[in-house]
Amino acid sequence: MKKKLLFIAVVFISNLNAQTWQQLEKIVASDRKSNQQFGNAVDIDGPYAIVGTWLEDRDGNGQNTMQMAGAAYIFEGDGKTGYTQKVKILPNDRDTVAEFGYDVAISGNYAIVGCPANDFDANGSNYVDWAGAAYIFEKQSSGSWIQVQKLVASDRLAGSTNGGSFGFSVDIDSNVAVIGTYNQDVIVGSTHHVAAGEVYVFERNSSGVWNETQKLIASDFNATDYFGTSVAIHKNRIIVGSHQNYTNATGGNFSFFTGAAYIFEKQTSGTWTEMQKIVANDRRSMAYFGWSVGICNDFAIIGAYGDSADASGLNNIHNAGSAYIFEYNTSNTWVQTQKIVSSYRDNDGRFGWAVDVSDSTAIIGAFQEGDTSSINQLTQAGSTHIYKRNSSGNWNLLNKALSSDLASGDYYGYDVAIKNDRAIIGAVYEDENVLGTGSLFNSGSAYIFRATSGSSSLSVSEKNKNTFALYPNPTADFVTIVLENNLEKVQLEIVDATGKLLFENSFDNSAPKTLNLSNLTNGLYLVRVKTSIGVSTERIVINR
């Protein structure tokens, strides 16, 4: 847990009887540095979180600098007391400009890290420029994480004239790993379909060895489709994005870079079979549908960051972006049920750049959106939206899920992941440490959110009355304040980003007090807690 959460637990109560998502904490690399871009890839699975930093150039001891060798960091925690960095993981054969950490995924005791610019096979030989690789790490009984295998494509020498970038996209679920090679050529006879793209499935056998079991190719592949730009797996289903695909679901109606996604399902024979090609109902050129994908049970989400139209197909804004929900129906067909756009669409906001779904909750990142609800009118700060499916089948916005220290140029929402009641959001250009100090240009950070519901309270203890932190953060409308251990009085102030005092009151120990924040607009504020021994401050985000 970060130090600023070690003191007073602060929890907020919402005026809604619905689930809300609150920031649990901010995490950064223990060896953070400028231009590291920590958070370019993120994933979470219960007590485990993994963060990629493809530009990192140092080894685990901060030495042996190799330009763009890359790294990844694994954090562990129970999700209540916080996540702490467990290990910085590196490949055994790290190399210059390998981009280890370009994509990451974690599932239980297994993590996979993509390294799309790696040039060598699993034995460190047979050079192929940008052939790519992926690495499997496994948690040991001792608690350490070690590399257990380097994965490469079985046909890496034959597949592409310029390297397939194996590991550009990765995902893992239990004993199955999926790896995209978006730039791989598909060969039919003597013809190379340049950059049509392929996806490889690896499965872990009873001996602990990960073997390539199948290569997936789109049924209607064409050159420069970039099949495998994005991949996701859940149980017996795989979804693959092909963001430069230019035909509709039946292979016709050419339109430049509209994009598509393909859903595969594992049969009883063990074979993965393409079940359906899906495209947007309102497909249009340069939408890049399929740049990001997510799947969970009968729900799939596909991002189209280049889409310009709103949910009605109107009000075009360049690269505002959108995301599409598809659901598997009783006719065994995937159908589009909703198009989602940002609540504050922005020119070049790129809503849908990153997406994920867990059961009936979806998360969507827009890393270049300006936070128009902020007092400071932030530019390219980025945003993330969390949606929940209701009993009528509609996906409604729950939270904008803004970070507690959102600032212009953070690129917050560059990557996102969600699993059950946890979410993680990367901000590759964020500069500050967990305390909001120690600015390092584009060092990057990530934020972990937790789903909450019901009543919560702010507890202030006598022992730690000089320091406090807001938990979770952002908050909503109401805060219940309880003073413990005979603490007599605390004065609380709230100021806006300009320093204007908006609220001032003193709270004693006679009874719990409820603070109503509903008159504050969404944005960033500063809270001061004054006691007999000093003043403490904390930034909060109002986010409904």
Side-chain angles (χ1 to χ4, degrees), residues 1-8 24-25 81-82 469-471:
M1 176 190 290
K2 59 187 181 182
K3 291 183 179 179
K4 72 174 183 177
L5 289 183
L6 286 176
F7 303 103
I8 300 171
L24 179 62
E25 65 181 315
T81 58
L470 292 161
Y471 169 80

Side-chain angles (χ1 to χ4, degrees), residues 295-358:
I295 194 165
C296 183
N297 295 321
D298 292 340
F299 304 119
I301 185 169
I302 299 93
Y305 75 84
D307 187 27
S308 60
D310 64 14
S312 302
L314 304 173
N315 302 311
N316 289 330
I317 298 176
H318 179 69
N319 284 343
S322 62
Y324 296 79
I325 299 291
F326 285 75
E327 299 186 20
Y328 190 69
N329 62 22
T330 55
S331 300
N332 302 322
T333 303
W334 290 87
V335 297
Q336 180 183 317
T337 57
Q338 194 166 333
K339 177 180 179 179
I340 298 173
V341 298
S342 173
S343 56
Y344 47 91
R345 302 174 66 233
D346 195 6
N347 185 61
D348 283 320
R350 305 197 179 199
F351 182 88
W353 179 268
V355 301
D356 200 8
V357 63
S358 179

Side-chain angles (χ1 to χ4, degrees), residues 195-409:
E198 299 175 343
V199 170
Y200 296 78
V201 179
F202 286 75
E203 300 191 37
R204 183 179 182 271
N205 66 20
S206 58
S207 300
V209 178
W210 293 79
N211 294 311
E212 182 186 319
T213 57
Q214 196 170 340
K215 181 170 68 174
L216 309 180
I217 301 172
S219 57
D220 61 346
F221 61 84
N222 283 292
T224 68
D225 275 353
Y226 286 176
F227 175 86
T229 298
S230 55
V231 297
I233 181 173
H234 185 245
K235 296 179 180 177
N236 66 334
R237 286 173 175 153
I238 293 171
I239 185 170
V240 180
S242 180
H243 78 291
Q244 290 196 171
N245 186 282
Y246 44 80
T247 59
N248 64 14
T250 59
N253 192 18
F254 178 96
S255 185
F256 195 59
F257 294 167
T258 52
Y262 298 78
I263 296 179
F264 294 78
E265 192 166 316
K266 191 173 186 179
Q267 309 301 304
T268 55
S269 63
T271 301
W272 293 86
T273 301
E274 182 186 318
M275 304 303 295
Q276 193 172 336
K277 176 183 180 180
I278 56 179
V279 299
N281 289 347
D282 61 345
R283 56 189 292 269
R284 53 178 46 85
S285 295
M286 308 295 288
Y288 298 123
F289 176 97
W291 172 257
S292 57
V293 296
I295 194 165
C296 183
N297 295 321
D298 292 340
F299 304 119
I301 185 169
I302 299 93
Y305 75 84
D307 187 27
S308 60
D310 64 14
S312 302
L314 304 173
N315 302 311
N316 289 330
I317 298 176
H318 179 69
N319 284 343
S322 62
Y324 296 79
I325 299 291
F326 285 75
E327 299 186 20
Y328 190 69
N329 62 22
T330 55
S331 300
N332 302 322
T333 303
W334 290 87
V335 297
Q336 180 183 317
T337 57
Q338 194 166 333
K339 177 180 179 179
I340 298 173
V341 298
S342 173
S343 56
Y344 47 91
R345 302 174 66 233
D346 195 6
N347 185 61
D348 283 320
R350 305 197 179 199
F351 182 88
W353 179 268
V355 301
D356 200 8
V357 63
S358 179
D359 294 320
S360 56
T361 307
I363 184 169
I364 305 169
F367 75 96
Q368 287 193 160
E369 271 193 349
D371 177 19
T372 57
S373 66
S374 167
I375 295 170
N376 291 329
Q377 296 289 300
L378 305 180
T379 59
Q380 293 188 339
S383 70
T384 300
H385 292 52
I386 297 179
Y387 291 80
K388 181 74 174 178
R389 185 181 188 272
N390 65 19
S391 57
S392 300
N394 296 317
W395 295 75
N396 298 319
L397 179 64
L398 281 183
N399 286 74
K400 293 180 183 176
L402 302 180
S403 68
S404 56
D405 56 353
L406 192 67
S408 291

Side-chain angles (χ1 to χ4, degrees), residues 159-214:
S160 176
T161 54
N162 297 307
S165 296
F166 179 96
F168 183 86
S169 58
V170 299
D171 200 11
I172 190 169
D173 187 11
S174 187
N175 294 321
V176 183
V178 186
I179 303 164
T181 57
Y182 80 102
N183 199 38
Q184 186 87 348
D185 296 353
V186 173
I187 302 173
V188 178
S190 60
T191 303
H192 277 65
H193 296 262
V194 177
E198 299 175 343
V199 170
Y200 296 78
V201 179
F202 286 75
E203 300 191 37
R204 183 179 182 271
N205 66 20
S206 58
S207 300
V209 178
W210 293 79
N211 294 311
E212 182 186 319
T213 57
Q214 196 170 340

Side-chain angles (χ1 to χ4, degrees), residues 35 40 68 70 76 83 114 121 131 148 175 201 264 277 284 319 324 377 396 435 467 484-485 496 511 527:
N35 292 312
N40 66 266
M68 294 174 62
E76 295 186 19
Y83 289 74
D121 66 14
V148 293
N175 294 321
V201 179
F264 294 78
K277 176 183 180 180
R284 53 178 46 85
N319 284 343
Y324 296 79
Q377 296 289 300
N396 298 319
L435 299 175
T467 313
E484 299 177 348
N485 302 326
D496 65 18
V527 175

Side-chain angles (χ1 to χ4, degrees), residues 26 31 45 51 59 65 80 107 136 144 162 167 211 277 288 307 313 343 345 350 362 375 420 427 460 477 490-491 518:
K26 175 183 180 179
D31 59 349
D45 185 15
V51 181
D59 65 13
T65 299
K80 297 180 181 178
S107 177
I136 299 288
S144 62
N162 297 307
N211 294 311
K277 176 183 180 180
Y288 298 123
D307 187 27
S343 56
R345 302 174 66 233
R350 305 197 179 199
I375 295 170
N420 299 326
V460 183
D477 288 343
V490 166
Q491 182 173 333
S518 60

